[in-house]
Amino acid sequence: MGTDRINGSLFTNIENKIATVEFGHPASNSFPSILLKRLSSEINALSVNKEVQLIILKSEGEKAFCAGASFDELVAITNQEEGEAFFSGFGNVINAMRKCNKLIIGRVQGKTVGGGVGLIAACDYAIATEAAAIKLSELTIGIGPFVIAPAVERKMGVAALAELTLTATEWKNAYWAKEKGLYAKVFETITEVDNEIETLTNKLAAYNPEALSTLKKALWENTNHWDLLLIDRAKTSGKLVLSNFTKKALEKFKK
């Protein structure tokens, strides 16, 4: 059973040099801003924790992996400063993940939308079930996946990013995502995914930590400008969310 906490939950378990970070939220594991801040801080802390050699990122339950950023907060945005702060949420997490000294393995059990796709793309290696379809639906409400786009493009390429973005109402299945590079492996069941992750992480945790850390830096070469890039992208989205088109599109979602 998942959490019923309105601000979501975040738990970390460290065992055999492997830190398992699990996030959850009653709204399909979506992220309110406060939970994104907690995740960024947790990844930064684990990055310098000498007892940790590897990180597994997962979400609660057996259904959705992540429904993106909190829609309630999106609807409530009234000015550009609020918009920029809102859209910076996933950008800050992505930057924390890319700068983390530890390799991050993603465990994806179900559907993922919007910012959650960026979260998977920021993992160094991701394993998923057949149920782990993805979608970028931002264009349908007059904005775009600008903040997460660099991470998605880096992992899947410009063509896949364009296809995901332009077919904003369509789900892409897990095997499509694997073909494009988002997932390393896809299995039928969650049990198979967990077994594969356990085998992989136990092997990695036994390797030279200096080699793993150096590999992490090599994998993320030429991304140092992302600190500024993702903030700039958040400003772009912060402006668009205030447009008449987006305001009208969001009216039907207001409570």
Side-chain angles (χ1 to χ4, degrees):
M1 178 173 295
T3 183
D4 59 359
R5 299 179 182 180
I6 190 66
N7 289 325
S9 63
L10 187 70
F11 298 102
T12 299
N13 178 64
I14 300 174
E15 188 174 351
N16 299 325
K17 301 180 182 178
I18 301 167
T20 300
V21 179
E22 182 176 38
F23 64 88
H25 191 276
S28 300
N29 291 329
S30 59
F31 274 93
S33 297
I34 189 170
L35 186 57
L36 286 168
K37 290 178 182 177
R38 288 180 62 194
L39 181 56
S40 297
S41 297
E42 184 66 11
I43 292 171
N44 288 334
L46 292 173
S47 178
V48 295
N49 187 331
K50 295 181 180 179
E51 302 301 314
V52 173
Q53 194 156 316
L54 199 70
I55 299 171
I56 298 171
L57 182 64
K58 63 184 292 189
S59 65
E60 289 184 346
E62 297 185 353
K63 295 184 179 180
F65 172 73
C66 179
S70 168
F71 210 83
D72 288 343
E73 289 189 21
L74 173 64
V75 171
I77 293 171
T78 60
N79 59 63
Q80 190 169 330
E81 290 72 24
E82 291 175 356
E84 182 180 339
F86 174 84
F87 289 105
S88 292
F90 271 101
N92 292 334
V93 173
I94 288 171
N95 275 324
M97 292 174 72
R98 85 175 165 82
K99 291 188 286 187
C100 181
N101 292 317
K102 316 296 166 63
L103 290 169
I104 300 175
I105 310 299
R107 184 257 204 191
V108 187
Q109 79 278 16
K111 288 183 174 180
T112 303
V113 182
V117 179
L119 202 65
I120 298 170
C123 291
D124 299 296
Y125 195 90
I127 300 173
T129 70
E130 289 184 338
I134 60 173
K135 181 169 67 172
L136 295 181
S137 57
E138 287 86 348
L139 277 183
T140 63
I141 57 170
I143 56 177
F146 300 111
V147 174
I148 65 167
V152 177
E153 179 185 340
R154 169 185 169 273
K155 184 61 69 76
M156 304 178 73
V158 175
L161 171 63
E163 185 173 349
L164 269 175
T165 304
L166 297 178
T167 57
T169 62
E170 297 179 12
W171 287 100
K172 302 295 185 182
N173 69 40
Y175 291 104
W176 182 91
K178 177 182 180 295
E179 178 187 338
K180 303 301 181 183
L182 184 68
Y183 302 139
K185 294 183 178 181
V186 174
F187 294 92
E188 290 185 10
T189 68
I190 295 175
T191 298
E192 289 175 297
V193 168
D194 288 338
N195 289 340
E196 179 70 16
I197 288 177
E198 182 179 10
T199 299
L200 173 66
T201 54
N202 283 336
K203 287 179 180 178
L204 289 174
Y207 295 159
N208 181 353
E210 186 177 355
L212 293 177
S213 179
T214 303
L215 174 62
K216 171 81 179 204
K217 290 181 174 62
L219 291 175
W220 286 91
E221 194 172 8
N222 300 320
T223 61
N224 290 337
H225 63 293
W226 282 22
D227 282 324
L228 295 177
L229 174 63
L230 300 194
I231 290 174
D232 188 57
R233 294 292 183 85
K235 291 179 180 178
T236 298
S237 294
K239 291 178 182 177
L240 285 171
V241 78
L242 299 174
S243 68
N244 288 331
F245 184 101
T246 298
K247 286 180 179 179
K248 290 180 181 178
L250 292 175
E251 278 296 324
K252 60 180 177 289
F253 297 105
K254 289 185 178 180
K255 295 179 179 179

